[in-house]
Amino acid sequence: MSTSPAAPPASSPGRLAAELRDCHSLVAILDGPRAGPKLRVGIVYRESGGWAAQTSFLHMFASSLAAVAAEGELVLGLISARDANGLCRVPARTPGQRWFQLPASGGRSSLEATAEHHAIDVIIDLFGVPQAVPGCGIITWIPDFQHHHLPHFFTEGEHQARNESFLARTKVSDFILLSSQSAKADADRFLPEALGRAQVAPFPSGLLFNALPTGNPADAAGHYHLPEKFLLVANQYWVHKNHLAVIEALGLLAAQGLRVPAVFTGLPADYRDATNAPTSRILQGIAERGLAGQVVPLGQIPFPHLIQLMRRAALVIQPSRFEGWSTVVQDIKGLGRPLICSDLPVHREQAPQALGFFGCDDPPKLAELIGAHWKGLSPGPDLAAEARSLEQERRFARTHGMRLAELCRNAFDLARGRSKA
């Protein structure tokens, strides 16, 4: 990312255009403030499924939109059922009004009744197939098309279910959000029905919308008796996250006399494998290569501890075989920490400033990259670099929020046009 030498005033269209260039965000440039009444935008809240970061993603998305709600002339709400105690299911920290979902009545679906009661103009359903609601603009999100690239990690039923879900989302939605140009290329290839409605909106780090943990990151590392200097892999233990490439690379370095301490964090489970074989292979790989004590598999740890370990790590590696837009990479960019990524198009798009890229099946290349940089890397945090990176990420987040606000306005205009037809 680069910084423009002379930025226009903060509220001007020129400033937004500059931010779009700075953040490498391939989105439309706004023409200026929109006149008219405030739009009432409802985000459907769904319980977290197999993706551990779903709740955090929703919080980031809602926060990004809420941050520009006044400027974008929006009223934001979260559409939620009540829990067993009659209370809202949405976490208290997530911004937005709470709009309880009403039961179906008078021939209307539950969501139709809810939209009418709360005067909702636009409905955003990120994690499921949206319902068509007369008079409402509809926006959804497709994270990636992994099942086309790594079909062997999916059953035939899962492959079919994803295709059917994506097609159903496309049929009912005014816009389909995609998080990268890489995902957009896949949509053009695998979901041509979305042509013209697929919109790229890369998302920012959720760290911007939460205060960073207080205290010294070294204390969090000390809590787990970690060495002063270590590299970090912060992925769930899903098979496509490719932890074994890192283990193999560390084994090669150890054979050369360079023992690099490493820490693996993340949920040690893969919903696609009831036997939890990916975690077993990680643990056995560590033992087989003589890395016990050198590689520490922590599993899932409290989120504040994870952030502190990200800030403390001398190097973060993202070895994944597939990503739509990596939350880990975006968080590390926001914290200004050194990063090495697998050589995916989306990683080159998202993190062109990474120290290097390696083939998913090329542990020797990863070992070469670690070996070339390890001596010159230091434990964090680098507070000056962190402050600069977070400020850059704030500009990117505003661009994301304004992009969402514009798409909400456009979706409402399309819905209004349908109502008049």
Side-chain angles (χ1 to χ4, degrees), residues 59-74:
H59 176 75
M60 175 279 300
F61 189 95
S63 298
S64 180
L65 196 49
V68 300
E71 187 176 359
E73 299 184 319
L74 306 178

Side-chain angles (χ1 to χ4, degrees), residues 171-193:
K171 287 181 176 179
V172 76
S173 300
D174 295 296
F175 294 113
I176 300 94
L177 298 177
L178 301 168
S179 299
S180 65
Q181 289 297 321
S182 180
K184 175 64 165 58
D186 282 347
D188 292 344
R189 177 183 177 188
F190 301 119
L191 193 63
E193 295 85 354

Side-chain angles (χ1 to χ4, degrees), residues 3-297:
T3 304
S4 300
S11 61
S12 72
R15 174 59 181 266
L16 179 55
E19 290 170 357
L20 288 166
R21 291 192 300 270
D22 288 347
C23 299
H24 301 283
S25 181
L26 303 176
V27 298
I29 297 174
L30 305 183
D31 295 326
R34 298 276 186 171
K38 289 187 175 182
L39 284 186
R40 294 175 65 82
V41 177
I43 301 176
V44 176
Y45 176 76
R46 293 179 182 266
E47 299 289 351
S48 179
W51 184 34
Q54 180 171 309
T55 301
S56 296
F57 184 90
L58 178 67
H59 176 75
M60 175 279 300
F61 189 95
S63 298
S64 180
L65 196 49
V68 300
E71 187 176 359
E73 299 184 319
L74 306 178
V75 174
L76 180 64
L78 280 297
I79 303 170
S80 166
R82 298 178 187 268
D83 64 17
N85 297 317
L87 302 176
C88 183
R89 294 180 182 273
V90 182
R93 68 191 184 98
T94 302
Q97 297 181 18
R98 281 11 182 195
W99 295 338
F100 288 115
Q101 192 157 333
L102 302 178
S105 64
R108 299 167 303 172
S109 69
S110 174
L111 196 57
E112 285 182 71
T114 303
E116 181 177 328
H117 180 78
H118 295 289
I120 299 172
D121 299 306
V122 177
I123 295 172
I124 301 175
D125 194 339
L126 297 172
F127 307 120
V129 177
Q131 295 179 30
V133 176
C136 286
I138 304 293
I139 297 175
T140 191
W141 175 57
I142 292 178
D144 60 55
F145 293 83
Q146 181 189 150
H147 62 298
H148 287 291
H149 292 272
L150 303 174
H152 50 292
F153 291 153
F154 296 83
T155 66
E156 183 177 344
E158 287 174 326
H159 197 282
Q160 181 178 347
R162 283 171 69 95
N163 282 338
E164 290 175 351
S165 173
F166 291 177
L167 182 59
R169 296 182 199 200
T170 298
K171 287 181 176 179
V172 76
S173 300
D174 295 296
F175 294 113
I176 300 94
L177 298 177
L178 301 168
S179 299
S180 65
Q181 289 297 321
S182 180
K184 175 64 165 58
D186 282 347
D188 292 344
R189 177 183 177 188
F190 301 119
L191 193 63
E193 295 85 354
L195 190 65
R197 285 178 285 167
Q199 301 291 322
V200 178
F203 56 81
S205 169
L207 299 181
L208 295 176
F209 306 109
N210 302 279
L212 290 179
T214 58
N216 190 337
D219 294 339
H223 178 80
Y224 299 104
H225 301 279
L226 302 179
E228 180 180 3
K229 185 178 178 182
F230 59 88
L231 68 77
L232 175 69
V233 179
N235 284 334
Q236 296 186 113
Y237 293 16
W238 289 354
V239 63
H240 78 277
K241 295 298 186 179
N242 202 26
H243 292 76
L244 293 179
V246 182
I247 292 171
E248 181 67 26
L250 294 175
L252 292 172
L253 289 171
Q256 299 166 18
L258 177 59
R259 299 190 70 87
V260 177
V263 177
F264 291 175
T265 64
L267 184 67
D270 191 332
Y271 75 95
R272 292 169 293 196
D273 191 338
T275 68
N276 212 11
T279 298
S280 295
R281 284 195 290 270
I282 289 171
L283 298 177
Q284 291 161 20
I286 293 169
E288 290 166 357
R289 289 161 182 81
L291 302 175
Q294 178 185 335
V295 179
V296 181

